């Protein structure tokens, strides 16, 4: 996907040398082959370019980079694990990339306060493991958790499969350390759950996608580690049935219900056909599936799960179900879910949407959207799946069988218009957890409150008056 914006002027060799002195010879990358990994992304939807990738090893070095960039009006693109899905981490117009991967220290774990202070480049999976090592849980969980970073998670306000019980990334951060565009360091790292001393500044930078400053560290909330986890894979007839199952599960399990994923038959079929070591846990195919998980601080999560499924079967809501008998089977259930995005690639072009609507509206949204996209492009194959408990769906549409991929993807914005109209009419959001980046930037003013857009622009102008922080993203 091309981003038609004015190119950034070439970076003078003497400025490259000044940047090199800040981070050291080894961590200022100018070779095109070495830069390639920083300017491409997983979907291959965006391809950027950059004359320089900087890999600072400390907050002080990030500060010096921003000071020099501000003095010479040099645009910067902060980057974590480069796993973003909306082009927010890509240098589209020759900006300097600031990779935070070397800021990978866990500064402190405080079990009494139930907090962990991590630098921005800590990989999410490592943060999860560090919490587990001290008998705690850091519940943020994403498909890319083996490579995405804490800074990127916060910059995009990541959601994930456990948001139903624990919230999204914003709810898991008590405080931040941020380098501003002019190089000043805002230190609002805090372990406090109660701090009523004025504006909540750290929340400005969560979900801002690096457009207001560069997150260099965060104090994160930890939770008690569950003693019992039980997982079920369920077959049923419709999203409406899944919604009834969700109501029963929440009534029986309350906060112990930690994940509730809705999966369409086509999404499961793609995953089984194209995934590695993936199989359908049920003996027969079903129009829809639910992957649900209960986590308990006590020793028993199975009894409430069995109660939920028994009641749902008695009421004709669930047609079949299996509870994971061991950790290997549980991992198999989740692998099926995690393979769903990559399993769409062999099916050709996929126009993807990360939307949310009120939970009660999910069945109506799916029915209406499915009819609308097939009317727009006959033969198009809706592949919806996602976090029903949050009202967040990955509403993806694979190309018709045998269609030309380029021709199909050329209708991306046309498809967006059809899907987004339904989302907005139902009181939803066009971006539930992936962010805006450049993929949805042009649609944002059309769907966001006008006053909200004005305030966002004013905040951007105040914190980044020169427009050097991830320019062209979000706004």
């Amino acid at each position: 996907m091309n981003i038609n914006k004015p190119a950034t002027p070439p970076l003078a060799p003497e400025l490259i040398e000044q940047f090199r002195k800040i981070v050291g010879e080894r961590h200022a990358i100018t070779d095109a082959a070495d830069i390639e990994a920083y300017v491409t992304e997983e979907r291959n939807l965006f391809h950027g370019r950059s004359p320089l990738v900087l890999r600072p090893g400390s907050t002080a070095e990030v500060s010096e980079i921003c000071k020099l960039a501000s003095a010479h009006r040099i645009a910067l693109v902060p980057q974590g694990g480069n796993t973003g899905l909306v082009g927010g981490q890509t240098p589209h117009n020759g900006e300097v990339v600031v990779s935070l991967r070397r800021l990978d220290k866990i500064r402190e774990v405080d079990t009494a306060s139930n907090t962990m202070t991590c630098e921005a480049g800590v990989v999410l999976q490592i943060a999860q493991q560090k919490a587990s090592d001290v008998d705690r849980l850091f519940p943020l969980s994403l498909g890319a958790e083996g490579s995405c970073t804490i800074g990127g998670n916060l910059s995009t306000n990541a959601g994930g499969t456990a948001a139903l019980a624990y919230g999204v990334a914003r709810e898991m951060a008590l405080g931040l350390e941020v380098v501003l565009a002019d190089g000043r360091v805002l230190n609002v790292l805090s372990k406090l759950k109660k701090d009523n001393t004025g504006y909540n500044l750290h929340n400005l930078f969560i979900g801002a996608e690096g457009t207001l400053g560069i997150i260099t560290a965060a104090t994160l909330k930890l939770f008690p580690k569950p003693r019992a986890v039980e997982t079920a894979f369920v077959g049923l007839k419709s999203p409406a049935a899944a919604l009834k199952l969700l109501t029963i599960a929440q009534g029986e399990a309350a906060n112990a219900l930690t994940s509730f994923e809705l999966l369409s038959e086509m999404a499961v079929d793609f995953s089984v056909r194209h995934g590695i070591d993936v199989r359908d846990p049920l003996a027969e195919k079903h129009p829809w599936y639910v992957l649900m998980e209960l986590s308990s601080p006590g020793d028993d999560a199975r009894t409430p799960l069995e109660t939920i499924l028994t009641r749902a079967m008695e009421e004709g809501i669930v047609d079949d179900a299996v509870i994971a008998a061991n950790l290997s089977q549980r991992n198999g259930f989740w692998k099926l879910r995690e393979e769903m995005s990559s399993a769409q690639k062999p099916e050709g072009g996929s126009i993807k949407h990360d939307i949310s609507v009120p939970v009660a509206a999910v069945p109506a949204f799916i029915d209406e959207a499915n009819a609308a996209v097939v009317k727009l492009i006959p033969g198009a194959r809706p592949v919806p799946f996602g976090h029903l408990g949050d009202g967040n769906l990955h509403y993806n549409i694979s190309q018709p069988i045998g269609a030309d991929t380029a021709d199909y993807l050329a209708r991306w914005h046309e498809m967006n218009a059809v899907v987004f109209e339904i989302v907005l009419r139902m009181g939803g959001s066009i971006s539930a957890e992936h962010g805006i980046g450049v993929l949805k930037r042009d649609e944002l003013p059309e769907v966001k409150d006008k006053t909200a857009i004005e305030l966002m622009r004013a905040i951007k102008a105040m914190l980044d008056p020169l427009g050097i922080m991830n320019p062209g993203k979000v706004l």
Side-chain angles (χ1 to χ4, degrees):
M1 184 173 290
N2 294 320
I3 306 300
N4 298 316
K5 291 289 179 181
T8 299
L11 195 60
E14 55 269 26
L15 281 174
I16 291 178
E17 186 58 32
Q18 289 183 59
F19 279 120
R20 182 176 283 115
K21 288 179 180 178
I22 294 172
V23 298
E25 182 75 26
R26 292 177 52 229
H27 303 298
I29 303 171
T30 56
D31 180 77
D34 293 333
I35 286 175
E36 184 68 13
Y38 297 88
V39 299
T40 55
E41 45 83 46
E42 181 181 347
R43 288 184 184 174
N44 203 28
L45 193 61
F46 303 102
H47 193 287
R49 56 190 177 82
S50 176
L52 177 64
V53 174
L54 299 172
R55 302 179 68 246
S58 68
T59 301
E61 289 182 2
V62 177
S63 175
E64 290 302 312
I65 289 169
C66 290
K67 287 177 184 177
L68 182 58
S70 182
H72 295 275
R73 289 182 175 244
I74 297 169
L76 303 175
V77 174
Q79 189 180 100
N82 195 16
T83 61
L85 299 173
V86 293
Q89 78 282 16
T90 304
H92 298 285
N93 300 290
E95 302 92 338
V96 171
V97 174
V98 182
S99 171
L100 283 301
R101 295 182 199 177
R102 288 183 62 224
L103 273 69
D104 59 358
K105 298 178 182 63
I106 295 177
R107 296 181 182 176
E108 182 189 39
V109 178
D110 183 344
T111 55
S113 298
N114 277 322
T115 62
M116 175 168 58
T117 302
C118 295
E119 293 184 341
V122 172
V123 172
L124 174 55
Q125 195 170 67
I126 292 175
Q128 294 169 341
Q129 185 58 53
K130 188 67 174 180
S132 180
D133 290 345
V134 294
D135 201 33
R136 295 294 187 274
L137 172 73
F138 182 59
L140 187 63
S141 181
L142 316 172
E145 61 194 28
S147 52
C148 65
T149 62
I150 294 298
N153 298 150
L154 293 170
S155 291
T156 57
N157 191 27
T161 57
L164 171 63
Y166 298 101
V168 295
R170 186 183 304 278
E171 279 82 44
M172 299 181 200
L174 289 168
L176 298 180
E177 177 185 83
V178 183
V179 177
L180 303 181
D182 59 9
R184 287 180 295 165
V185 178
L186 172 67
N187 190 333
V188 285
L189 289 171
S190 173
K191 301 178 185 179
L192 303 177
K193 293 185 177 180
K194 293 183 177 180
D195 182 3
N196 206 5
T197 54
Y199 303 146
N200 190 332
L201 295 175
H202 79 270
N203 262 319
L204 276 175
F205 302 92
I206 299 176
E209 301 184 45
T211 61
L212 302 180
I214 300 176
I215 295 173
T216 51
T219 301
L220 307 172
K221 294 179 186 177
L222 301 181
F223 296 83
K225 189 175 181 179
R227 302 298 175 205
V229 178
E230 296 288 348
T231 311
F233 196 82
V234 180
L236 28 67
K237 292 184 176 64
S238 66
L243 187 60
K244 291 178 182 177
L245 176 61
L246 174 64
T247 301
I248 292 172
Q250 289 177 321
E252 294 287 345
N255 292 338
L257 180 66
T258 47
S259 296
F260 197 96
E261 301 288 292
L262 177 67
L263 318 171
S264 66
E265 179 183 8
M266 190 167 291
V268 170
D269 181 58
F270 284 1
S271 192
V272 170
R273 283 199 281 130
H274 302 301
I276 299 172
D277 295 325
V278 173
R279 69 178 187 87
D280 187 337
L282 299 178
E284 297 180 1
K285 288 189 175 183
H286 298 266
W288 289 87
Y289 300 85
V290 163
L291 174 58
M292 61 186 295
E293 191 160 273
L294 270 61
S295 304
S296 171
D299 296 325
D300 183 21
R302 193 174 186 90
T303 299
L305 182 57
E306 289 176 342
T307 300
I308 292 164
L309 294 175
T310 299
R311 179 178 164 190
M313 286 183 170
E314 289 173 349
E315 295 182 16
I317 295 168
V318 167
D319 296 326
D320 196 7
V322 58
I323 299 175
N326 49 50
L327 181 59
S328 177
Q329 193 172 24
R330 174 181 177 245
N331 290 341
F333 291 0
W334 279 108
K335 184 172 175 57
L336 186 151
R337 164 65 179 87
E338 290 160 3
E339 291 278 342
M340 285 185 174
S341 293
S342 60
Q344 292 168 56
K345 292 180 182 179
E347 296 291 330
S350 177
I351 298 177
K352 300 178 184 296
H353 304 90
D354 161 46
I355 62 90
S356 61
V357 294
V359 173
V362 169
F365 166 78
I366 291 174
D367 286 346
E368 192 169 338
N370 284 359
V373 301
V374 172
K375 181 179 180 181
L376 176 68
I377 303 180
R381 296 172 292 168
V383 192
F385 63 95
H387 322 301
L388 177 60
D390 313 321
N392 171 201
L393 289 178
H394 301 296
Y395 187 76
N396 303 340
I397 308 105
S398 286
Q399 69 179 55
I401 295 173
D404 181 83
T405 297
D407 289 345
Y408 176 72
L409 293 178
R411 303 187 71 177
W412 191 294
H413 291 290
E414 191 179 353
M415 186 75 81
N416 281 357
V418 169
V419 173
F420 290 166
E421 187 278 327
I422 301 168
V423 169
L424 297 172
R425 179 158 39 82
M426 293 185 174
S429 168
I430 68 169
S431 179
E433 61 180 0
H434 291 167
I436 297 297
V438 293
L439 186 66
K440 301 178 183 179
R441 178 196 60 202
D442 295 339
E443 282 92 355
L444 188 63
E446 300 173 11
V447 303
K448 193 82 172 173
D449 176 78
K450 180 181 178 182
T451 301
I453 290 289
E454 290 173 352
L455 287 173
M456 288 169 66
R457 293 189 186 282
I459 292 168
K460 169 72 171 173
M462 180 188 70
L463 291 175
D464 182 23
L466 301 178
I468 65 170
M469 299 303 298
N470 214 6
K473 315 296 172 55
V474 183
L475 295 172

